[in-house]
């Protein structure tokens, strides 16, 4: 009755922002992401008869805050009358700071819990269960370039291109490591209810998805770069125009964008994307990673840099 799974976070190039059903955690729009390789979460789940309650450790320290969301995920994967579980999570990057730790955590938890419960689930079932816990987690079930599509009453995930078919490097500039002020679920609802740009965002998403899908198919980096930056800035514009406004950026975030612009002016193929946090993800072809990393390292306010290639989907670590 145990399982260990490993999953990597993903970075959306065409973003998910807003829910069409809060109770079922269904996204309002489709999205396209890349799954990373070097950043990971490893989840170990043991169902144990006789335990009174679920327990959770994150990087070996007890964690009460995240536990209810993880317990709810276990209820969906293994049924509510399941034995209680010991959950141990190991994460090699900052949690809840806009680096998609919820994506890797819930993708890994879903795969580990299904194995521990003796369930053999399809990719679609795993994605749907992971997505109910965290919308972006559904995409981390698969590797490389992944599209999440809304279906009648649910979601589907598809691989657009494997990690090794179009290798990318992602240089993450960390500008702040504390947890974010407003979580993405609350922020999305504020946006949906109050932002004057929200309905335009939903209406335009299909066109951005078409452009990005075609660019990935044609391996057209410049076209993908343009639509990804546009989609990212549109998502942040919704937040800036919400009431209350939500600005996840800090001064160093802005300086990193200037660094990316100056690299682009030197004909280095790179583009930026930013999620619900102040970190800047600079996406480039592997041959430019060293230049991009060096330029971002010199950017004032950058505390740390992580460089990653593209990786695989969530998987069991070993038969247990
Ligand atoms: O899955 P959540 O609830 O962490 O939301 C993710 C939202 C963004 O990271 C900002 C965009 C995305 O598509 O990943």
């Amino acid at each position: 009755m145990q399982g260990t799974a490993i999953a990597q976070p993903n970075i959306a190039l065409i973003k998910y922002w807003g829910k069409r059903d809060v109770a079922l955690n269904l996204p309002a729009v489709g999205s396209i992401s890349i799954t990373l390789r070097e950043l990971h979460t490893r989840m170990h789940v043991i169902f144990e008869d006789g335990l009174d309650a679920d327990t959770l450790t994150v990087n070996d320290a007890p964690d009460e805050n995240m536990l209810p969301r993880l317990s709810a995920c276990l209820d969906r994967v293994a049924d509510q009358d399941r034995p209680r579980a010991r959950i141990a999570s190991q994460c090699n990057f900052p949690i809840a700071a806009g680096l998609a730790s919820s994506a890797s955590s819930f993708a890994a938890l879903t795969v580990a819990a299904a194995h521990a419960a003796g369930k053999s689930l399809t990719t679609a079932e795993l994605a749907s269960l992971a997505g109910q816990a965290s919308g972006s987690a559904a995409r981390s079930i698969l590797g490389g370039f992944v599209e999440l599509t809304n279906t009648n009453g649910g979601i589907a995930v598809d691989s657009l291109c494997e990690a090794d078919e179009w290798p990318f490097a992602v240089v993450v500039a960390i500008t702040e490591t504390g947890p974010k002020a407003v979580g993405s679920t609350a922020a999305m609802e504020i946006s949906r209810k109050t932002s004057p740009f929200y309905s335009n965002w939903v209406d335009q998403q299909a066109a951005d998805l078409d452009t990005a899908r075609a660019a990935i198919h044609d391996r057209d980096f410049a076209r993908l770069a343009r639509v990804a930056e546009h989609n990212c800035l549109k998502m942040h514009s919704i937040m800036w125009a919400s009431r209350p406004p939500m600005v996840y950026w800090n001064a160093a975030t802005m300086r990193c964008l200037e660094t990316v612009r100056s690299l682009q002016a030197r004909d280095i193929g790179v583009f930026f994307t930013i999620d619900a946090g102040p970190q800047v993800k600079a996406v480039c072809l592997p041959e430019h990673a060293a230049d991009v990393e060096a330029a971002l390292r010199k950017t004032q306010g950058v505390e740390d840099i992580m460089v990653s290639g593209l990786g695989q989907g969530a998987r069991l670590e070993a038969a247990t």
Side-chain angles (χ1 to χ4, degrees):
M1 299 275 286
Q2 56 179 301
T4 305
I6 185 154
Q8 274 98 252
N10 67 78
I11 304 292
L13 305 183
I14 303 298
K15 309 283 189 191
Y16 145 53
W17 194 253
K19 298 180 198 281
R20 72 178 193 277
D21 186 320
V22 175
L24 295 176
N25 204 38
L26 292 174
V29 292
S31 51
I32 291 178
S33 63
I34 45 181
T35 303
L36 303 184
R37 186 175 58 211
E38 275 76 7
L39 280 53
H40 68 253
T41 303
R42 175 181 283 105
M43 279 279 178
H44 182 54
V45 176
I46 311 179
F47 290 118
E48 235 175 73
D49 289 324
L51 279 183
D52 290 339
D54 294 333
T55 61
L56 169 67
T57 57
V58 176
N59 294 338
D60 301 320
D63 187 324
E64 290 289 323
N65 292 340
M66 281 290 287
L67 184 57
R69 263 180 91 189
L70 274 74
S71 291
C73 180
L74 294 186
D75 289 347
R76 285 188 293 265
V77 176
D79 304 325
Q80 287 196 341
D81 55 3
R82 63 179 171 82
R84 300 300 98 186
R86 287 184 208 280
I87 312 164
S89 166
Q90 297 285 341
C91 194
N92 74 341
F93 61 98
I95 294 171
L99 284 175
S101 57
S102 66
S104 51
S105 299
F106 285 108
L109 183 69
T110 301
V111 171
H115 182 79
K119 295 198 167 184
S120 162
L121 302 179
T122 63
T123 297
E125 289 166 331
L126 291 168
S128 167
L129 286 162
Q132 286 176 61
S134 165
S136 55
R139 298 185 309 235
S140 277
I141 294 294
L142 295 176
F145 293 73
V146 178
E147 177 164 10
L148 184 150
T149 313
N150 274 328
T151 60
N152 245 345
I155 54 155
V157 289
D158 254 315
S159 165
L160 296 178
C161 172
E162 296 298 334
D164 56 358
E165 288 177 327
W166 197 18
F168 272 20
V170 181
V171 181
V172 183
I174 297 172
T175 64
E176 211 174 290
T177 44
K180 56 192 163 198
V182 189
S184 55
T185 295
M188 285 183 199
E189 278 303 279
I190 295 171
S191 294
R192 184 177 67 79
K193 290 182 183 146
T194 70
S195 179
F197 304 149
Y198 182 78
S199 61
N200 281 346
W201 158 257
V202 174
D203 293 347
Q204 290 178 16
Q205 189 77 345
D208 287 359
L209 288 166
D210 288 348
T211 304
R213 198 183 309 109
I216 293 164
H217 177 268
D218 297 343
R219 311 286 194 265
D220 183 341
F221 188 87
R223 194 167 180 219
L224 183 61
R226 274 194 303 277
V227 72
E229 288 190 351
H230 170 70
N231 189 266
C232 163
L233 292 174
K234 240 179 353 191
M235 180 185 80
H236 286 276
S237 304
I238 300 171
M239 302 182 203
W240 287 34
S242 295
R243 293 169 199 260
M246 291 167 297
V247 178
Y248 284 107
W249 302 12
N250 59 32
T253 310
M254 197 65 219
R255 278 189 217 105
C256 290
L257 298 200
E258 286 165 11
T259 299
V260 171
R261 285 284 179 258
S262 64
L263 288 162
Q264 290 168 337
R266 287 166 46 203
D267 276 337
I268 292 177
V270 56
F271 64 88
F272 63 79
T273 190
I274 306 163
D275 293 298
Q279 332 303 0
V280 175
K281 290 105 182 188
V283 182
C284 61
L285 296 173
E287 58 265 35
H288 298 309
D291 281 340
V292 172
E293 180 183 352
L296 284 168
R297 248 186 221 291
K298 279 194 295 204
T299 302
Q300 192 195 337
V302 171
E303 293 179 7
D304 203 359
I305 296 270
M306 289 176 152
V307 184
S308 180
L310 304 192
Q312 316 168 47
R315 62 219 171 265
L316 285 171
E317 192 176 49
T320 47

